Amino acid sequence: MGMLKSSLAFLLLAFAFFFCYVMSSGSYDYFQFVQQWPPTNCRVRVKRPCSNPRPLQYFTIHGLWPSNYSNPRMPSNCTGSQFKKQNLYPYMQSKLKISWPDVESGNDTKFWEGEWNKHGTCSERTLNLMQYFQRSHAMWKSHNITEILKNASIVPHPTQTWKYSDIESPIKRATKRTPVLRCKRDPVQANTQLLHEVVFCYEYDALKLIDCNRTDCWKNVDIKFQ
């Protein structure tokens, strides 16, 4: 019986080490391409407000995250080459300052570095550093969420609210795929939520748009877009 327990303990330990290795080496199923609404980002930062007095009024890139269906937060912080600004060509940096700015503190380079080191390293076998940022910028340009919503008469408003389907439907029509909407609890008004992020899902090679199957918003609570 003692030998059986020891064998089971060894197997569990071996599985744990294998799981950690897989996660750190960048095993993933698909990509989440995450875009954020800067005003919401700044509104929920009560203790540390954004450095810019008036946040950008268009959706910007938060990141391109290799993810697993069983746990979309993994993998992260994988073994790989760390971010080097000199490996990101100047013309690409100028584009990213528009599509992928640091809307909180204004330190764009530090933001890119953090996203690459945490997420980009996990897909380095598929996309090197330059390709990772090029592909992200191309995704941002291919489907302009701000314009998609504007064409559906969904624009920032101080009091108006929308249902989840009101926001999801025009994006689905434009992309032919189901996005993920993510919301943040309104720090000022209880039991209300603010539209924070829109996520597109891409297959393993980050080329083909696919349906997403999760949401972080309360579907039975109206959404503010301010």
Side-chain angles (χ1 to χ4, degrees), residues 32-35 145 178-182 197-201 212:
Q32 295 184 76
F33 178 57
V34 185
Q35 298 182 64
I145 298 174
T178 303
V180 168
L181 304 184
R182 290 180 178 156
E197 294 178 334
V198 175
V199 183
F200 293 149
C201 296
C212 300

Side-chain angles (χ1 to χ4, degrees), residues 4-78:
L4 179 60
K5 288 183 177 179
S6 296
S7 297
L8 287 173
F10 175 79
L11 287 173
L12 287 172
L13 186 62
F15 176 79
F17 275 113
F18 174 75
F19 179 80
C20 292
Y21 169 77
V22 168
M23 290 298 98
S24 65
S25 62
S27 175
Y28 67 94
D29 299 319
Y30 70 106
F31 280 95
Q32 295 184 76
F33 178 57
V34 185
Q35 298 182 64
Q36 60 190 359
W37 179 245
T40 297
N41 236 49
C42 293
R43 182 167 182 173
V44 298
R45 287 170 57 88
V46 177
K47 294 183 179 180
R48 291 188 301 159
C50 290
S51 58
N52 295 322
R54 184 177 184 273
L56 296 172
Q57 299 292 301
Y58 60 87
F59 281 88
T60 61
I61 299 173
H62 184 173
L64 180 61
W65 304 344
S67 305
N68 284 291
Y69 290 115
S70 58
N71 183 358
R73 296 180 180 273
M74 297 295 288
S76 66
N77 298 303
C78 297

Side-chain angles (χ1 to χ4, degrees), residues 178-190:
T178 303
V180 168
L181 304 184
R182 290 180 178 156
C183 298
K184 288 284 190 180
R185 186 187 299 271
D186 189 336
V188 177
Q189 188 173 350

Side-chain angles (χ1 to χ4, degrees), residues 105-124:
S105 64
N107 192 333
D108 298 338
T109 303
K110 186 177 180 181
F111 187 29
W112 305 335
E113 178 181 12
E115 288 298 308
W116 168 261
N117 290 345
K118 183 175 182 179
H119 300 287
T121 52
C122 299
S123 58
E124 194 169 10

Side-chain angles (χ1 to χ4, degrees), residues 35 62-63 96 152 203 209 216:
Q35 298 182 64
H62 184 173
L96 293 176
E203 45 73 57
L209 200 60
D216 288 340

